[in-house]
Amino acid sequence: MSSSDVICERIHDGHGPRWERGGICVACVVEMMDRSDVSAVRKRAALVAVMRVAAVRELLYCEEERRINFISSLLRTLFNAVDSSLLDQTVQVLLQMTLDVPNQGLLLFILDQIHSRWTDVGGLKASLSSLTFLGKLLDAHPALSQTLTSSRPRVLECVCAALLLSDEEVKAAVCYVLLRIWSSAAAIQMLPDTLRQRMCVLLLHTLSNTHTTALTVNCLGVVKQMCQYSEVVCVLMNLQDGTEDPLPYQPLPLILKKLLLSAQDSLQVVSVRCVCAVLIHAPRRFTAAFIQADLPEFLLEVMSSGCSDVLLWSVFSCLLLLSEDPLFFSQCHAVYGMEPLVRCLKDTLGKSNTEVQKQGLELLSAILDRQPAAVRLFPTASEFTAVCDVIMAIHTSIFN
């Protein structure tokens, strides 16, 4: 369909030449979007023309009322259309309009319209298309995250409530929006305490009941970002078993331990990094919870089973943090872990990634330094000699 086709004969009479630019009738484009007798294919072609011809967009923007009416029409399409290509094109045009007209009032209008749609008829109707659009809107306008937490928390409350829906694609889109919020320090400063607490509970509930890898990864990404803030780490770690809660959930250490058993490298990496993000803030305060959940044992199992360099580096880093607590040694994790650690370090000698070797060597050094003298790590002299040989080989590999 050419640009000259973007005239709807049934409604074009009376629009007049002042509405046309390059064979495109702006008035037709605006009216077509709300008409049920116009096909999704024709609507999409009209929007493609809007994106392609700057003069058309200028005519749309020159009057505020016309601009607002067109945005309102696009938002109705966003909520009601089922054709995926039309939805994608609608999102593109909406985003382009917010970039062409950098107006805070326009962004607030869009947020208010979305909130109104979500809460129509007294029930939440957050859709995948609208949540996806909100995530892209936050990408295009990073400062909008602060606006959401400071002046539009009702919109965020609706976003969070969508985590209670059954559709895991919708929940993954929610997590993308939340990740954008938690990536803005300015936004988090304005986040109400009650909403922050609610997010923590909802994320643990979601992680305790996920069925898809995409949702699990997205959800863990939010948790990891939340762990940049000490006060949020305290909230997450102090939420104990919530089986009696209206929203049942498992404690964070048990959730992360479960994900280590998934045998999926991507999930294991993110879960280990979440543990590290928690421990970095206060190792002595939170290590006990992870050690009592037998996390070191599972980390050693992952190490022994063979894994990628990224996962191995993450495991070494996590064990290094856990070894700062004397409980790590009193539970004999160092004794049980010495053999798989040395074997794993031997395996790294054939690899070019010296960063993994350095991290493994640092872990080995920490264990040798912190292990209580009363508990022997090497029952025989030959085992001690073998460890020394590995240390020398790694040293040579790194510095030669």
Side-chain angles (χ1 to χ4, degrees):
M1 183 181 291
S2 66
S3 61
S4 60
D5 292 322
V6 188
I7 291 177
C8 191
E9 296 81 2
R10 283 169 288 185
I11 59 178
H12 182 60
D13 288 346
H15 287 163
R18 69 189 182 91
W19 292 98
E20 291 187 33
R21 293 291 187 276
I24 301 169
C25 177
V26 171
C28 282
V29 172
V30 173
E31 290 187 43
M32 285 166 63
M33 299 312 297
D34 278 329
R35 293 181 66 100
S36 59
D37 59 343
V38 177
S39 70
V41 172
R42 194 169 182 83
K43 289 179 180 180
R44 181 183 179 279
L47 294 180
V48 169
V50 169
M51 287 292 290
R52 186 173 60 244
V53 183
V56 172
R57 297 202 302 276
E58 290 172 5
L59 188 56
L60 278 168
Y61 304 156
C62 66
E63 294 179 8
E64 183 178 5
E65 183 178 357
R66 184 185 307 165
R67 185 169 66 240
I68 291 297
N69 286 340
F70 186 48
I71 287 177
S72 298
S73 178
L74 291 175
L75 289 172
R76 285 191 288 272
T77 301
L78 188 70
F79 275 87
N80 298 322
V82 294
D83 182 89
S84 60
S85 62
L86 174 58
L87 287 171
D88 290 344
Q89 194 62 45
T90 301
V91 168
Q92 287 186 42
V93 174
L94 277 168
L95 288 174
Q96 188 61 51
M97 290 188 73
T98 66
L99 293 170
D100 289 342
V101 187
N103 184 304
Q104 179 72 3
L106 184 65
L107 293 173
L108 290 175
F109 172 77
I110 290 173
L111 290 179
D112 290 339
Q113 288 294 302
I114 289 175
H115 180 258
S116 176
R117 291 275 175 174
W118 282 349
T119 55
D120 273 352
V121 201
L124 175 70
K125 297 197 300 183
S127 62
L128 179 59
S129 58
S130 58
L131 286 165
T132 300
F133 168 62
L134 181 57
K136 291 183 177 182
L137 192 63
L138 290 169
D139 279 337
H141 304 275
L144 193 60
S145 294
Q146 186 176 358
T147 302
L148 275 172
T149 57
S150 61
S151 64
R152 293 299 186 275
R154 295 174 304 165
V155 178
L156 262 187
E157 289 170 2
C158 287
V159 170
C160 291
L163 284 174
L164 298 176
L165 300 176
S166 59
D167 190 328
E168 296 217 343
E169 276 192 279
V170 169
K171 291 193 277 192
V174 170
C175 289
Y176 187 85
V177 171
L178 294 182
L179 186 59
R180 302 272 67 77
I181 299 296
W182 283 95
S183 297
S184 169
I188 298 309
Q189 288 180 354
M190 307 299 292
L191 184 67
D193 290 344
T194 53
L195 187 51
R196 182 182 64 184
Q197 177 87 14
R198 181 67 173 167
M199 285 182 184
C200 290
V201 171
L202 283 168
L203 286 166
L204 291 188
H205 169 72
T206 303
L207 275 172
S208 299
N209 298 279
T210 56
H211 297 96
T212 61
T213 300
L215 176 56
T216 304
V217 169
N218 280 22
C219 202
L220 281 175
V222 180
V223 171
K224 183 175 179 292
Q225 194 63 38
M226 293 171 80
C227 288
Q228 303 300 311
Y229 302 90
S230 299
E231 64 276 13
V232 182
V233 170
C234 293
V235 173
L236 286 168
M237 291 299 293
N238 287 325
L239 287 170
Q240 300 304 313
D241 195 325
T243 53
E244 302 301 323
D245 194 278
L247 286 178
Y249 57 84
Q250 294 177 316
L252 183 60
L254 291 182
I255 291 172
L256 297 177
K257 183 178 78 170
K258 179 180 70 174
L259 293 174
L260 279 174
L261 297 172
S262 67
Q264 293 189 51
D265 190 89
S266 59
L267 291 182
Q268 290 175 321
V269 168
V270 182
S271 62
V272 173
R273 288 182 174 176
C274 280
V275 177
C276 292
V278 170
L279 294 179
I280 284 170
H281 288 287
R284 293 296 181 91
R285 183 173 182 181
F286 300 121
T287 47
F290 288 110
I291 292 173
Q292 289 165 359
D294 295 324
L295 197 75
E297 180 181 340
F298 286 89
L299 290 170
L300 293 170
E301 181 65 28
V302 170
M303 185 194 302
S304 300
S305 61
C307 53
S308 67
D309 285 355
V310 173
L311 178 54
L312 188 57
W313 187 92
S314 300
V315 169
F316 285 159
S317 301
C318 192
L319 286 170
L320 187 60
L321 289 166
L322 289 169
S323 69
E324 292 186 25
D325 193 316
L327 186 62
F328 179 86
F329 297 94
S330 65
Q331 297 288 322
C332 295
H333 291 300
V335 175
Y336 301 140
M338 184 55 63
E339 182 182 348
L341 173 58
V342 172
R343 185 171 60 250
C344 203
L345 285 172
K346 282 183 179 179
D347 292 339
T348 66
L349 289 172
K351 300 180 179 180
S352 59
N353 191 340
T354 58
E355 292 304 314
V356 176
Q357 296 174 355
K358 289 178 182 178
Q359 199 70 355
L361 193 59
E362 187 175 352
L363 172 60
L364 178 58
S365 300
I367 290 176
L368 293 175
D369 183 56
R370 298 167 186 167
Q371 175 69 17
V375 181
R376 296 180 62 184
L377 280 175
F378 311 105
T380 66
S382 60
E383 289 176 305
F384 175 72
T385 301
V387 171
C388 292
D389 291 341
V390 169
I391 293 173
M392 290 301 298
I394 291 176
H395 188 276
T396 301
S397 172
I398 293 173
F399 295 104
N400 282 355

